[in-house]
Coordinates of all heavy atoms in Angstrom, one line a residue:
M1 N -0.8 13.7 -5.6 CA -2.3 13.9 -5.8 C -3.0 14.1 -4.5 O -2.7 13.4 -3.5 CB -2.9 12.8 -6.6 CG -4.3 13.0 -7.0 SD -5.3 11.6 -7.1 CE -5.3 10.8 -5.6
K2 N -3.9 15.1 -4.4 CA -4.6 15.3 -3.2 C -6.1 15.1 -3.5 O -6.6 15.5 -4.5 CB -4.4 16.7 -2.6 CG -3.1 16.8 -2.0 CD -3.0 18.2 -1.4 CE -1.6 18.5 -0.9 NZ -1.3 19.9 -0.5
K3 N -6.8 14.4 -2.6 CA -8.2 14.2 -2.8 C -8.8 14.2 -1.4 O -8.4 13.4 -0.5 CB -8.4 12.8 -3.4 CG -9.7 12.7 -4.2 CD -9.6 11.4 -5.0 CE -10.8 11.2 -5.9 NZ -10.6 10.1 -6.9
R4 N -9.8 15.0 -1.2 CA -10.4 15.1 0.2 C -11.4 13.9 0.4 O -12.1 13.6 -0.5 CB -11.2 16.4 0.3 CG -11.5 16.8 1.7 CD -12.0 18.2 1.7 NE -11.0 19.3 1.5 CZ -10.3 19.8 2.5 NH1 -10.4 19.3 3.7 NH2 -9.4 20.7 2.2
G5 N -11.4 13.3 1.6 CA -12.3 12.3 1.9 C -11.6 11.1 2.6 O -10.4 11.1 2.8
D6 N -12.4 10.2 3.0 CA -11.9 9.0 3.7 C -12.1 7.8 2.8 O -13.2 7.3 2.5 CB -12.7 8.7 5.0 CG -12.2 7.5 5.8 OD1 -11.3 6.8 5.3 OD2 -12.7 7.4 6.9
Y7 N -11.0 7.4 2.2 CA -11.0 6.3 1.2 C -10.3 5.0 1.7 O -10.0 4.2 0.9 CB -10.3 6.8 -0.1 CG -10.9 8.0 -0.8 CD1 -10.4 9.3 -0.6 CD2 -12.1 7.8 -1.5 CE1 -11.0 10.4 -1.1 CE2 -12.7 8.9 -2.1 CZ -12.2 10.2 -1.9 OH -12.8 11.3 -2.5
R8 N -10.2 4.9 3.0 CA -9.5 3.8 3.6 C -10.1 2.5 3.1 O -9.3 1.6 2.7 CB -9.5 3.9 5.1 CG -8.5 5.0 5.6 CD -8.6 5.1 7.1 NE -9.9 5.5 7.6 CZ -10.3 5.6 8.8 NH1 -9.5 5.2 9.8 NH2 -11.5 6.1 9.1
A9 N -11.4 2.4 3.2 CA -12.0 1.1 2.9 C -11.7 0.6 1.4 O -11.7 -0.6 1.1 CB -13.5 1.2 3.0
E10 N -11.5 1.6 0.6 CA -11.2 1.3 -0.9 C -9.8 0.8 -1.1 O -9.5 0.4 -2.3 CB -11.6 2.5 -1.7 CG -13.1 2.7 -1.7 CD -13.4 4.0 -2.4 OE1 -13.3 4.0 -3.6 OE2 -13.8 5.0 -1.7
T11 N -9.0 0.8 -0.1 CA -7.6 0.4 -0.3 C -7.4 -1.1 -0.1 O -6.3 -1.6 -0.2 CB -6.6 1.1 0.6 OG1 -6.8 0.7 1.9 CG2 -6.8 2.6 0.4
G12 N -8.5 -1.8 0.2 CA -8.4 -3.3 0.4 C -9.7 -4.0 0.4 O -10.7 -3.3 0.1
V13 N -9.7 -5.2 0.6 CA -10.9 -6.0 0.5 C -11.4 -6.5 1.9 O -12.5 -7.1 2.1 CB -10.8 -7.2 -0.4 CG1 -10.6 -6.7 -1.9 CG2 -9.7 -8.1 0.0
Q14 N -10.5 -6.4 2.9 CA -10.9 -6.9 4.2 C -11.5 -5.8 5.1 O -11.1 -4.7 5.0 CB -9.6 -7.5 4.9 CG -9.2 -8.8 4.2 CD -7.7 -9.1 4.4 OE1 -6.8 -8.3 4.0 NE2 -7.4 -10.2 5.1
D15 N -12.3 -6.3 6.1 CA -13.1 -5.3 6.9 C -12.2 -4.3 7.7 O -12.5 -3.2 7.8 CB -14.0 -6.0 7.8 CG -15.2 -6.6 7.1 OD1 -15.4 -6.3 5.9 OD2 -15.8 -7.5 7.7
F16 N -11.1 -4.9 8.2 CA -10.2 -4.1 9.1 C -9.6 -2.9 8.4 O -9.2 -1.9 9.0 CB -9.1 -5.0 9.8 CG -8.1 -5.5 8.8 CD1 -7.0 -4.7 8.4 CD2 -8.2 -6.8 8.4 CE1 -6.1 -5.2 7.5 CE2 -7.2 -7.3 7.5 CZ -6.2 -6.5 7.1
V17 N -9.5 -2.9 7.1 CA -8.9 -1.9 6.3 C -9.6 -0.5 6.5 O -8.9 0.5 6.7 CB -8.8 -2.2 4.8 CG1 -8.2 -1.1 4.0 CG2 -8.1 -3.5 4.6
A18 N -10.9 -0.5 6.6 CA -11.6 0.7 6.8 C -11.3 1.3 8.2 O -11.5 2.6 8.3 CB -13.1 0.4 6.7
D19 N -10.9 0.5 9.1 CA -10.7 1.1 10.5 C -9.2 1.4 10.8 O -8.9 1.9 11.8 CB -11.2 0.0 11.5 CG -12.6 -0.2 11.4 OD1 -13.4 0.7 11.2 OD2 -13.1 -1.4 11.6
A20 N -8.3 1.0 9.9 CA -6.9 1.2 10.1 C -6.6 2.7 10.1 O -7.2 3.5 9.4 CB -6.1 0.5 9.0
A21 N -5.7 3.1 11.0 CA -5.3 4.5 11.1 C -4.7 5.0 9.8 O -4.9 6.2 9.4 CB -4.3 4.7 12.2
L22 N -4.0 4.1 9.1 CA -3.3 4.5 7.9 C -3.2 3.3 6.9 O -2.9 2.2 7.4 CB -1.9 4.9 8.3 CG -0.8 5.2 7.2 CD1 -1.2 6.5 6.4 CD2 0.6 5.3 7.8
N23 N -3.5 3.6 5.7 CA -3.3 2.6 4.7 C -2.3 3.1 3.6 O -2.6 4.1 2.9 CB -4.6 2.2 4.0 CG -5.5 1.4 4.9 OD1 -5.1 0.3 5.4 ND2 -6.6 1.9 5.3
L24 N -1.2 2.4 3.5 CA -0.2 2.8 2.5 C -0.4 2.1 1.2 O -0.8 0.9 1.2 CB 1.2 2.5 3.0 CG 1.7 3.2 4.3 CD1 2.9 2.5 4.9 CD2 2.0 4.7 4.0
V25 N -0.3 2.8 0.1 CA -0.4 2.1 -1.2 C 0.9 2.4 -1.9 O 1.3 3.5 -2.2 CB -1.6 2.7 -2.0 CG1 -1.7 2.1 -3.4 CG2 -2.9 2.6 -1.2
F26 N 1.6 1.3 -2.2 CA 2.9 1.4 -2.8 C 2.8 1.4 -4.4 O 2.3 0.4 -4.9 CB 3.9 0.3 -2.4 CG 4.2 0.4 -0.9 CD1 3.8 -0.6 -0.1 CD2 4.9 1.4 -0.3 CE1 4.0 -0.6 1.3 CE2 5.1 1.5 1.0 CZ 4.7 0.5 1.9
V27 N 3.2 2.4 -5.0 CA 3.0 2.6 -6.4 C 4.4 2.7 -7.1 O 5.3 3.5 -6.6 CB 2.2 3.8 -6.8 CG1 2.1 4.0 -8.3 CG2 0.8 3.7 -6.2
S28 N 4.6 2.0 -8.2 CA 5.9 2.2 -8.9 C 5.6 2.8 -10.3 O 4.7 2.4 -11.0 CB 6.6 0.8 -9.0 OG 7.7 0.9 -9.8
D29 N 6.5 3.7 -10.6 CA 6.5 4.2 -12.0 C 7.3 3.3 -12.8 O 8.6 3.2 -12.7 CB 7.1 5.6 -12.1 CG 7.1 6.2 -13.5 OD1 7.1 5.4 -14.4 OD2 7.3 7.4 -13.6
M30 N 6.7 2.4 -13.6 CA 7.4 1.3 -14.3 C 8.3 1.9 -15.4 O 9.2 1.1 -15.9 CB 6.4 0.3 -14.9 CG 5.8 -0.6 -13.8 SD 7.0 -1.4 -12.8 CE 6.0 -2.4 -11.7
D31 N 8.1 3.1 -15.8 CA 9.0 3.7 -16.8 C 10.4 4.1 -16.1 O 11.4 4.1 -16.8 CB 8.4 5.0 -17.4 CG 7.3 4.7 -18.4 OD1 7.2 3.5 -18.8 OD2 6.6 5.6 -18.7
M32 N 10.3 4.3 -14.8 CA 11.5 4.7 -14.1 C 12.2 3.4 -13.5 O 13.4 3.5 -13.2 CB 11.2 5.6 -12.9 CG 10.5 6.9 -13.4 SD 11.7 8.0 -14.2 CE 12.6 8.6 -12.8
A33 N 11.5 2.4 -13.3 CA 12.0 1.2 -12.6 C 13.0 0.5 -13.6 O 12.7 0.4 -14.8 CB 10.9 0.2 -12.2
S34 N 14.1 0.0 -13.0 CA 15.0 -0.7 -13.8 C 14.5 -2.1 -14.3 O 14.8 -2.5 -15.4 CB 16.4 -0.9 -13.1 OG 16.2 -1.5 -11.8
S35 N 13.6 -2.7 -13.5 CA 12.9 -3.8 -14.0 C 11.7 -4.0 -13.1 O 11.6 -3.5 -12.0 CB 13.7 -5.1 -14.0 OG 13.9 -5.5 -12.6
R36 N 10.7 -4.8 -13.5 CA 9.5 -5.2 -12.7 C 10.0 -5.9 -11.5 O 9.5 -5.7 -10.4 CB 8.6 -6.1 -13.6 CG 7.2 -5.7 -13.6 CD 6.5 -6.7 -14.5 NE 5.4 -7.4 -13.8 CZ 4.3 -6.8 -13.4 NH1 4.1 -5.6 -13.7 NH2 3.4 -7.5 -12.8
Q37 N 10.9 -6.8 -11.7 CA 11.4 -7.6 -10.5 C 12.0 -6.7 -9.5 O 11.7 -6.9 -8.3 CB 12.4 -8.6 -11.1 CG 12.9 -9.6 -10.0 CD 14.0 -10.5 -10.6 OE1 14.5 -10.2 -11.8 NE2 14.4 -11.5 -9.9
Y38 N 12.8 -5.7 -9.9 CA 13.4 -4.9 -8.9 C 12.4 -3.9 -8.2 O 12.5 -3.6 -7.1 CB 14.5 -4.0 -9.5 CG 15.9 -4.7 -9.6 CD1 16.0 -6.1 -9.3 CD2 17.0 -4.1 -10.0 CE1 17.2 -6.7 -9.3 CE2 18.2 -4.7 -10.0 CZ 18.3 -6.1 -9.7 OH 19.5 -6.7 -9.8
A39 N 11.4 -3.5 -9.0 CA 10.3 -2.7 -8.4 C 9.7 -3.4 -7.2 O 9.5 -2.9 -6.1 CB 9.3 -2.3 -9.5
Y40 N 9.3 -4.7 -7.5 CA 8.7 -5.5 -6.4 C 9.6 -5.8 -5.3 O 9.2 -5.7 -4.1 CB 8.1 -6.8 -7.0 CG 6.7 -6.6 -7.6 CD1 6.5 -6.2 -8.9 CD2 5.6 -6.7 -6.8 CE1 5.3 -6.0 -9.5 CE2 4.3 -6.5 -7.3 CZ 4.2 -6.2 -8.7 OH 2.9 -5.9 -9.2
T41 N 10.9 -6.0 -5.6 CA 11.8 -6.3 -4.6 C 12.0 -5.1 -3.7 O 12.0 -5.2 -2.4 CB 13.2 -6.7 -5.2 OG1 13.0 -7.9 -6.0 CG2 14.2 -7.1 -4.1
N42 N 12.2 -3.9 -4.3 CA 12.4 -2.7 -3.5 C 11.2 -2.4 -2.7 O 11.3 -1.9 -1.5 CB 12.7 -1.5 -4.5 CG 14.0 -1.6 -5.1 OD1 15.0 -2.1 -4.5 ND2 14.2 -1.1 -6.3
C43 N 10.0 -2.7 -3.2 CA 8.8 -2.5 -2.4 C 8.8 -3.3 -1.2 O 8.4 -2.9 -0.1 CB 7.6 -2.8 -3.3 SG 6.0 -2.5 -2.5
G44 N 9.3 -4.6 -1.3 CA 9.4 -5.4 -0.1 C 10.3 -4.8 1.0 O 10.0 -4.9 2.2
F45 N 11.4 -4.2 0.5 CA 12.3 -3.6 1.5 C 11.6 -2.4 2.2 O 11.7 -2.2 3.4 CB 13.6 -3.1 0.8 CG 14.6 -4.2 0.6 CD1 14.8 -4.7 -0.7 CD2 15.3 -4.7 1.6 CE1 15.7 -5.7 -0.9 CE2 16.3 -5.7 1.4 CZ 16.4 -6.2 0.1
V46 N 10.9 -1.6 1.4 CA 10.2 -0.4 2.0 C 9.1 -0.9 3.0 O 9.1 -0.4 4.1 CB 9.5 0.4 0.9 CG1 8.7 1.5 1.5 CG2 10.6 1.0 -0.1
S47 N 8.3 -1.9 2.6 CA 7.3 -2.4 3.5 C 7.9 -3.0 4.8 O 7.4 -2.8 5.9 CB 6.3 -3.3 2.9 OG 7.0 -4.5 2.5
Q48 N 9.1 -3.6 4.6 CA 9.8 -4.2 5.8 C 10.2 -3.1 6.7 O 10.2 -3.2 8.0 CB 11.0 -5.1 5.4 CG 11.6 -5.8 6.5 CD 10.6 -6.8 7.2 OE1 10.0 -7.6 6.5 NE2 10.5 -6.7 8.5
N49 N 10.7 -2.0 6.2 CA 11.1 -0.8 7.0 C 9.9 -0.3 7.8 O 10.0 0.2 8.9 CB 11.7 0.3 6.2 CG 13.2 -0.1 5.8 OD1 13.9 -0.7 6.6 ND2 13.7 0.4 4.7
V50 N 8.7 -0.3 7.1 CA 7.5 0.2 7.8 C 7.2 -0.8 9.0 O 6.9 -0.4 10.1 CB 6.3 0.2 6.9 CG1 5.0 0.5 7.6 CG2 6.5 1.3 5.8
Y51 N 7.4 -2.1 8.8 CA 7.2 -3.1 9.8 C 8.2 -2.8 11.0 O 7.8 -2.8 12.2 CB 7.5 -4.5 9.3 CG 6.3 -5.2 8.8 CD1 6.1 -5.6 7.5 CD2 5.2 -5.6 9.7 CE1 5.0 -6.3 7.0 CE2 4.1 -6.3 9.2 CZ 4.0 -6.6 7.9 OH 3.0 -7.3 7.4
L52 N 9.4 -2.5 10.7 CA 10.4 -2.3 11.7 C 10.1 -1.0 12.5 O 10.2 -1.0 13.7 CB 11.8 -2.1 11.1 CG 12.4 -3.4 10.5 CD1 13.7 -3.1 9.7 CD2 12.7 -4.4 11.6
Y53 N 9.7 0.0 11.8 CA 9.3 1.3 12.5 C 8.1 1.0 13.4 O 8.1 1.4 14.6 CB 8.9 2.4 11.5 CG 8.5 3.6 12.2 CD1 9.4 4.5 12.8 CD2 7.2 3.9 12.3 CE1 9.0 5.6 13.5 CE2 6.7 5.1 13.0 CZ 7.7 5.9 13.6 OH 7.3 7.0 14.3
C54 N 7.1 0.3 12.9 CA 5.9 0.0 13.7 C 6.3 -0.8 14.9 O 5.8 -0.6 16.0 CB 4.9 -0.8 12.8 SG 4.1 0.2 11.6
A55 N 7.2 -1.8 14.7 CA 7.6 -2.6 15.9 C 8.3 -1.7 16.9 O 8.0 -1.9 18.2 CB 8.5 -3.7 15.4
S56 N 9.1 -0.8 16.5 CA 9.8 0.1 17.5 C 8.8 1.0 18.2 O 9.2 1.5 19.3 CB 10.9 0.9 16.7 OG 10.3 1.9 16.0
E57 N 7.7 1.3 17.6 CA 6.8 2.3 18.1 C 5.5 1.7 18.8 O 4.6 2.4 19.1 CB 6.3 3.3 17.1 CG 7.5 4.2 16.5 CD 8.2 5.0 17.6 OE1 7.5 5.6 18.4 OE2 9.4 5.0 17.5
G58 N 5.5 0.3 18.8 CA 4.3 -0.4 19.4 C 3.1 -0.3 18.5 O 2.0 -0.4 19.0
L59 N 3.3 -0.1 17.2 CA 2.1 -0.1 16.3 C 2.0 -1.5 15.6 O 2.9 -2.2 15.5 CB 2.3 1.0 15.2 CG 2.5 2.4 15.7 CD1 3.0 3.3 14.6 CD2 1.1 2.9 16.2
G60 N 0.8 -1.7 15.1 CA 0.5 -2.9 14.3 C 0.6 -2.6 12.9 O 0.3 -1.5 12.4
S61 N 1.0 -3.6 12.1 CA 1.0 -3.5 10.6 C 0.8 -4.8 9.9 O 1.1 -5.9 10.4 CB 2.4 -2.9 10.2 OG 2.4 -2.6 8.8
V62 N 0.2 -4.7 8.8 CA 0.0 -5.9 7.9 C 0.1 -5.5 6.5 O -0.5 -4.5 6.0 CB -1.4 -6.6 8.2 CG1 -2.5 -5.7 8.0 CG2 -1.5 -7.9 7.4
V63 N 1.0 -6.2 5.8 CA 1.1 -6.0 4.3 C 0.0 -6.7 3.7 O -0.5 -7.8 4.1 CB 2.5 -6.6 3.9 CG1 2.4 -7.2 2.5 CG2 3.6 -5.6 3.9
R64 N -0.6 -6.1 2.7 CA -1.8 -6.7 2.0 C -1.6 -6.7 0.5 O -1.3 -5.7 -0.2 CB -3.0 -5.8 2.3 CG -3.5 -5.9 3.7 CD -4.7 -5.1 4.0 NE -4.5 -3.7 3.9 CZ -4.8 -2.9 2.9 NH1 -5.4 -3.4 1.8 NH2 -4.6 -1.6 3.0
G65 N -1.7 -7.9 0.0 CA -1.7 -8.2 -1.5 C -3.1 -8.2 -2.0 O -3.3 -8.2 -3.2
S66 N -4.1 -8.3 -1.1 CA -5.5 -8.4 -1.5 C -6.1 -7.0 -1.7 O -6.4 -6.3 -0.7 CB -6.3 -9.2 -0.5 OG -5.9 -10.5 -0.4
F67 N -6.2 -6.5 -2.9 CA -6.8 -5.3 -3.2 C -7.2 -5.3 -4.7 O -6.7 -6.1 -5.5 CB -5.9 -4.1 -2.9 CG -4.6 -4.2 -3.6 CD1 -4.4 -3.7 -4.9 CD2 -3.5 -4.7 -3.0 CE1 -3.2 -3.8 -5.6 CE2 -2.2 -4.8 -3.7 CZ -2.1 -4.4 -5.0
D68 N -8.2 -4.4 -5.0 CA -8.7 -4.3 -6.4 C -7.8 -3.3 -7.1 O -8.0 -2.1 -7.0 CB -10.2 -3.9 -6.3 CG -10.8 -3.9 -7.7 OD1 -10.1 -3.7 -8.7 OD2 -12.0 -4.2 -7.8
K69 N -6.9 -3.9 -7.9 CA -5.9 -3.0 -8.6 C -6.5 -2.0 -9.5 O -6.1 -0.8 -9.5 CB -5.0 -3.9 -9.4 CG -3.6 -3.4 -9.6 CD -2.7 -4.5 -10.1 CE -1.3 -4.3 -9.7 NZ -0.3 -5.3 -10.1
D70 N -7.5 -2.4 -10.3 CA -8.2 -1.4 -11.2 C -8.9 -0.3 -10.5 O -8.8 0.9 -10.8 CB -9.2 -2.2 -12.1 CG -8.4 -3.1 -13.1 OD1 -7.2 -2.8 -13.3 OD2 -9.0 -4.1 -13.5
K71 N -9.7 -0.7 -9.5 CA -10.5 0.2 -8.7 C -9.6 1.2 -8.0 O -9.8 2.5 -8.0 CB -11.3 -0.5 -7.7 CG -12.5 0.3 -7.0 CD -13.3 -0.7 -6.2 CE -13.6 -0.1 -4.8 NZ -14.2 -1.0 -3.9
L72 N -8.6 0.7 -7.3 CA -7.6 1.6 -6.6 C -6.8 2.5 -7.5 O -6.6 3.7 -7.3 CB -6.7 0.7 -5.7 CG -5.9 1.4 -4.6 CD1 -6.8 2.3 -3.8 CD2 -5.3 0.3 -3.7
G73 N -6.5 2.0 -8.7 CA -5.8 2.7 -9.7 C -6.6 3.9 -10.2 O -6.1 5.0 -10.4
K74 N -7.9 3.7 -10.4 CA -8.8 4.8 -10.8 C -9.0 5.8 -9.7 O -8.9 7.0 -10.0 CB -10.2 4.2 -11.2 CG -10.2 3.5 -12.5 CD -11.6 3.2 -13.0 CE -11.5 2.4 -14.3 NZ -11.6 1.0 -14.2
L75 N -9.1 5.3 -8.5 CA -9.2 6.2 -7.3 C -8.0 7.2 -7.2 O -8.2 8.3 -6.9 CB -9.4 5.4 -6.0 CG -9.5 6.2 -4.7 CD1 -10.9 6.9 -4.6 CD2 -9.3 5.3 -3.5
L76 N -6.9 6.6 -7.5 CA -5.6 7.4 -7.3 C -5.2 8.1 -8.6 O -4.2 8.8 -8.7 CB -4.5 6.5 -6.9 CG -4.6 5.8 -5.6 CD1 -3.5 4.8 -5.3 CD2 -4.6 6.8 -4.4
N77 N -6.1 8.0 -9.6 CA -5.8 8.6 -11.0 C -4.4 8.2 -11.5 O -3.7 9.1 -12.0 CB -5.9 10.2 -10.8 CG -7.3 10.6 -10.7 OD1 -8.3 10.0 -11.2 ND2 -7.5 11.7 -9.9
L78 N -4.1 7.0 -11.4 CA -2.8 6.5 -11.9 C -2.7 6.5 -13.4 O -3.7 6.3 -14.1 CB -2.5 5.1 -11.3 CG -2.4 5.0 -9.8 CD1 -2.0 3.5 -9.5 CD2 -1.5 6.0 -9.2
K79 N -1.5 6.8 -13.8 CA -1.2 6.8 -15.3 C -0.9 5.3 -15.7 O -0.6 4.5 -14.8 CB 0.0 7.7 -15.6 CG -0.2 9.1 -15.2 CD 1.0 9.9 -15.6 CE 0.9 11.3 -15.0 NZ 1.9 11.5 -13.9
P80 N -1.0 5.0 -16.9 CA -0.8 3.6 -17.4 C 0.5 3.0 -16.9 O 0.7 1.8 -16.7 CB -0.9 3.7 -18.9 CG -1.7 5.0 -19.2 CD -1.4 5.9 -18.1
N81 N 1.6 3.9 -16.8 CA 2.9 3.4 -16.4 C 3.1 3.2 -14.9 O 4.1 2.7 -14.5 CB 4.0 4.3 -16.9 CG 3.8 5.8 -16.5 OD1 2.7 6.3 -16.7 ND2 4.8 6.4 -15.9
E82 N 2.0 3.6 -14.2 CA 2.1 3.5 -12.7 C 1.4 2.3 -12.2 O 0.2 2.1 -12.6 CB 1.5 4.8 -12.1 CG 2.4 6.0 -12.4 CD 1.7 7.3 -11.9 OE1 0.5 7.4 -11.9 OE2 2.5 8.2 -11.6
E83 N 2.0 1.5 -11.5 CA 1.5 0.2 -11.1 C 1.5 0.1 -9.5 O 2.5 0.4 -8.9 CB 2.3 -0.9 -11.7 CG 1.7 -2.3 -11.3 CD 2.4 -3.4 -12.1 OE1 3.0 -3.2 -13.1 OE2 2.3 -4.6 -11.6
I84 N 0.3 -0.4 -9.0 CA 0.3 -0.6 -7.6 C 0.9 -2.0 -7.3 O 0.5 -3.0 -7.9 CB -1.2 -0.6 -7.1 CG1 -1.9 0.7 -7.4 CG2 -1.3 -0.8 -5.6 CD1 -3.4 0.7 -7.2
L85 N 1.9 -2.0 -6.4 CA 2.6 -3.2 -6.1 C 2.0 -3.9 -4.8 O 1.9 -5.1 -4.8 CB 4.1 -2.9 -5.9 CG 4.8 -2.1 -6.9 CD1 6.3 -1.9 -6.6 CD2 4.7 -2.8 -8.3
L86 N 1.7 -3.1 -3.8 CA 1.4 -3.7 -2.5 C 0.7 -2.6 -1.7 O 0.8 -1.4 -2.0 CB 2.7 -4.1 -1.8 CG 2.7 -5.2 -0.8 CD1 2.2 -6.5 -1.5 CD2 4.1 -5.5 -0.3
T87 N -0.1 -3.1 -0.7 CA -0.7 -2.1 0.2 C -0.3 -2.5 1.6 O 0.2 -3.7 1.8 CB -2.2 -2.1 0.1 OG1 -2.7 -3.4 0.4 CG2 -2.7 -1.6 -1.3
Q88 N -0.4 -1.6 2.6 CA 0.0 -2.0 3.9 C -0.8 -1.1 4.9 O -0.8 0.1 4.8 CB 1.5 -1.7 4.1 CG 2.1 -2.1 5.4 CD 3.6 -2.1 5.4 OE1 4.3 -1.6 4.5 NE2 4.2 -2.7 6.5
S89 N -1.4 -1.8 5.9 CA -2.1 -1.1 6.9 C -1.3 -0.9 8.1 O -0.5 -1.7 8.5 CB -3.4 -1.8 7.3 OG -4.3 -2.0 6.2
V90 N -1.5 0.3 8.8 CA -0.8 0.6 10.0 C -1.8 1.1 11.0 O -2.7 1.9 10.6 CB 0.3 1.7 9.8 CG1 0.9 2.1 11.2 CG2 1.4 1.3 8.9
S91 N -1.8 0.5 12.2 CA -2.7 1.0 13.2 C -2.3 0.7 14.6 O -1.2 0.1 14.8 CB -4.1 0.3 12.9 OG -5.2 1.1 13.3
Y92 N -3.1 1.2 15.6 CA -2.8 1.0 17.0 C -3.3 -0.4 17.3 O -4.3 -0.9 16.8 CB -3.5 2.0 17.8 CG -3.1 3.4 17.4 CD1 -3.9 4.2 16.6 CD2 -1.9 4.0 17.9 CE1 -3.5 5.5 16.2 CE2 -1.5 5.3 17.5 CZ -2.3 6.0 16.7 OH -2.0 7.3 16.3
P93 N -2.5 -1.1 18.2 CA -3.0 -2.4 18.6 C -4.3 -2.4 19.4 O -4.5 -1.3 20.0 CB -1.8 -3.0 19.5 CG -1.0 -1.8 19.8 CD -1.3 -0.7 18.8
D94 N -5.1 -3.4 19.4 CA -6.4 -3.4 20.1 C -6.2 -3.4 21.6 O -5.2 -3.9 22.1 CB -7.2 -4.7 19.8 CG -7.7 -4.7 18.3 OD1 -7.8 -3.6 17.8 OD2 -7.9 -5.8 17.8
Ligands
FMN101 C1 3.2 -10.3 -0.2 C2 2.3 -10.5 0.9 C3 0.9 -10.3 0.8 C4 0.0 -10.4 1.8 N1 -1.3 -10.1 1.6 C5 -2.1 -10.2 2.7 C6 -3.5 -9.7 2.6 O1 -3.9 -9.3 1.5 N2 -4.2 -9.8 3.7 C7 -3.8 -10.3 4.9 O2 -4.5 -10.3 5.9 N3 -2.5 -10.7 5.0 C8 -1.7 -10.6 4.0 N4 -0.4 -11.0 4.1 C9 0.1 -11.6 5.4 C10 0.3 -10.5 6.4 O3 1.1 -9.5 5.9 C11 1.1 -11.1 7.6 O4 2.3 -11.5 7.2 C12 0.3 -12.2 8.3 O5 -1.0 -11.8 8.6 C13 1.0 -12.6 9.6 O6 1.1 -11.6 10.5 P1 1.3 -11.8 12.1 O7 2.5 -12.6 12.2 O8 1.4 -10.3 12.6 O9 0.0 -12.4 12.5 C14 0.5 -10.9 3.1 C15 1.9 -11.2 3.2 C16 2.7 -11.0 2.2 C17 4.2 -11.3 2.4

């Protein structure tokens, strides 16, 4: 899905989210996932890989579980079977 605009602030509830260079939103298609547990577990591995990449490139990152699931789901036009698992900000260190 493509949508023009700056929606960074809407991907989280903390102030720094609006200033982050990039905010990742991890979404799982629960119809495709073998289980809810595995969807969340796999998401943890993906976000950890983002952390590793950021560490190698001198970038900062923070995984965020604080977000408004309903609001963000509407913004992304998610289908009922699509669930937001986690968000993650990536940015340059201060
Ligand atoms: C599942 C999960 C959800 C988290 N949610 C948030 C969050 O919403 N906001 C936040 O600031 N930190 C959150 N954290 C903590 C940060 O990702 C990070 O681990 C913590 O800030 C320590 O980072 P530092 O060692 O770089 O200071 C969460 C961590 C985990 C594992």
